[in-house]
Amino acid sequence: MGSLLNPTDGFVFTPTDFAFIRERIFALAGIRLSEQKDKMVYSRLSRRIRELGLKDFSQYLLHLDGDKGEQVLFINALTTNKTQFFREGHHFEFLAELAMEHPGPLRIWSSACSTGEEPYSIAAQLVSMGRLNDRILATDLNTQVLASAESGLYDVNEASSIPNAILKHTFLKGKGRSKGLMQPRSALRERITFRQLNLIGPWPFKQDFDVIFCRNVMIYFDRPTQKKLVERFSQHLKMGGYLLLGHAEGLEKDQRGFCSIGKTIYQKVAL
Ligand SMILES: C[S@@+](CC[C@H](N)C(=O)[O-])C[C@H]1O[C@@H](n2cnc3c(N)ncnc32)[C@H](O)[C@@H]1O
């Protein structure tokens, strides 16, 4: 990054500002922003500076320090929320097999659920098999994506990644003023509870899970944070339960307490 990212129509953004932002987002969310993310940070936060009518980044960072509400918006601005229905389809095939072997209710956690495509895909897979007793907890740190997940409204074009046989029983297409939108049927919505939760903060669970989805979020964390997180997942999984990670993620070879049983699928085993 140059010494000042200061276009004539923009805000002064110094390397010290950038270093402060990297330190804050790590402390608040465990996210390690690389040195190359300066332009992304500038573009996402300058919007906020403009809305607040502030002069530059250093003014914004002073405001951020004393304001918890602003910290929520800061986190919302800096998380990456890309997701898709039935992303990494082999996990849903695995879930279907597991459900066939496990007639009783499954307790599932979608732990970085973004705008909801992941938990609704889990629910769609299970409901399409006639299962109405499974419970899904869907959490994310970003309050904005969670609100969008709870509203459950999606562009119909997003349906293209949902298998046809599942789609027709599980989503409704909008008509009239809602044309172009689709939403999950109530049988799906009733399976899911949405909550805000920071993966690096306290977890208030009373019961353990059969399956934990933690996909495409650990890549933003450093090694010690990832390791600690996996240990905590293990503490909240039933013995024999499963941890599903994203395509670019995996457990260390020497990770105790889990064995790999398929691509990015790990089973909790006795130590
Ligand atoms: C790229 S999305 C992944 C969504 C979904 N799991 C998938 O694989 O399609 C990453 C999500 O992790 C969330 N996230 C980032 N840091 C987090 C943290 N410390 N605690 C909880 N969620 C976090 C972001 O808000 C974002 O919605």
Side-chain angles (χ1 to χ4, degrees):
M1 181 168 113
S3 62
L4 290 178
L5 212 171
N6 185 21
T8 45
D9 59 343
F11 303 106
V12 174
F13 179 44
T14 68
T16 313
D17 297 332
F18 184 44
F20 184 87
I21 288 166
R22 290 177 70 205
E23 182 268 311
R24 292 306 284 151
I25 194 67
F26 179 68
L28 292 168
I31 294 172
R32 274 270 177 238
L33 284 179
S34 73
E35 298 269 3
Q36 288 72 44
K37 295 286 184 198
D38 55 335
K39 293 199 174 50
M40 181 273 266
V41 165
Y42 180 87
S43 109
R44 293 195 188 176
L45 291 181
S46 54
R47 233 174 286 154
R48 190 69 200 125
I49 295 175
R50 202 166 293 121
E51 278 164 13
L52 288 164
L54 298 175
K55 194 164 64 61
D56 57 22
F57 272 75
S58 67
Q59 267 198 356
Y60 174 70
L61 296 176
L62 276 178
H63 168 68
L64 176 73
D65 234 7
D67 190 320
K68 288 249 180 293
E70 188 59 42
Q71 290 170 13
V72 172
L73 300 178
F74 173 77
I75 292 169
N76 289 356
L78 294 182
T79 55
T80 299
N81 312 112
K82 181 183 168 340
T83 187
Q84 194 184 29
F85 286 110
F86 285 82
R87 184 180 194 183
E88 296 168 38
H90 66 285
H91 285 158
F92 298 92
E93 288 160 21
F94 170 76
L95 186 63
E97 284 166 25
L98 179 68
M100 285 196 283
E101 289 163 12
H102 196 296
L106 289 169
R107 195 170 139 74
I108 300 173
W109 179 20
S110 165
S111 71
C113 70
S114 187
T115 39
E117 285 84 341
E118 181 175 279
Y120 287 122
S121 302
I122 298 169
Q125 179 64 64
L126 296 168
V127 168
S128 71
M129 298 171 73
R131 295 175 63 102
L132 296 175
N133 290 319
D134 304 307
R135 295 289 321 159
I136 301 154
L137 173 68
T139 64
D140 200 283
L141 174 59
N142 182 325
T143 54
Q144 202 179 349
V145 294
L146 262 185
S148 158
E150 281 196 89
S151 80
L153 286 177
Y154 296 95
D155 188 303
V156 278
N157 293 320
E158 282 207 56
S160 61
S161 58
I162 305 178
N164 272 335
I166 294 181
L167 177 65
K168 59 180 180 214
H169 303 297
T170 51
F171 283 82
L172 292 166
K173 279 192 180 166
K175 295 194 183 114
R177 280 173 54 200
S178 304
K179 196 166 166 20
L181 296 176
M182 63 170 198
Q183 69 178 150
R185 286 181 186 268
S186 57
L188 273 61
R189 302 169 76 98
E190 286 159 9
R191 308 274 74 71
I192 307 175
T193 304
F194 289 100
R195 291 274 180 277
Q196 192 200 13
L197 183 140
N198 189 345
L199 284 169
I200 64 159
W203 300 351
F205 309 134
K206 293 193 182 76
Q207 281 176 282
D208 292 342
F209 297 95
D210 297 287
V211 186
I212 298 176
F213 283 71
C214 182
R215 307 190 311 162
N216 306 302
V217 61
M218 288 225 286
I219 36 165
Y220 300 106
F221 300 156
D222 64 7
R223 279 278 164 84
T225 310
Q226 292 176 354
K227 199 166 169 11
K228 193 160 170 223
L229 191 56
V230 170
E231 281 164 16
R232 294 179 79 197
F233 283 141
S234 169
Q235 287 160 14
H236 290 278
L237 267 177
K238 295 179 188 169
M239 186 53 70
Y242 300 92
L243 175 63
L244 310 190
L245 302 181
H247 60 282
E249 299 160 334
L251 298 188
E252 299 281 336
K253 285 228 160 32
D254 63 350
Q255 179 72 51
R256 285 155 48 85
F258 282 101
C259 73
S260 165
I261 59 150
K263 192 173 151 205
T264 56
I265 304 178
Y266 299 88
Q267 183 169 32
K268 177 173 168 174
V269 291
L271 277 172

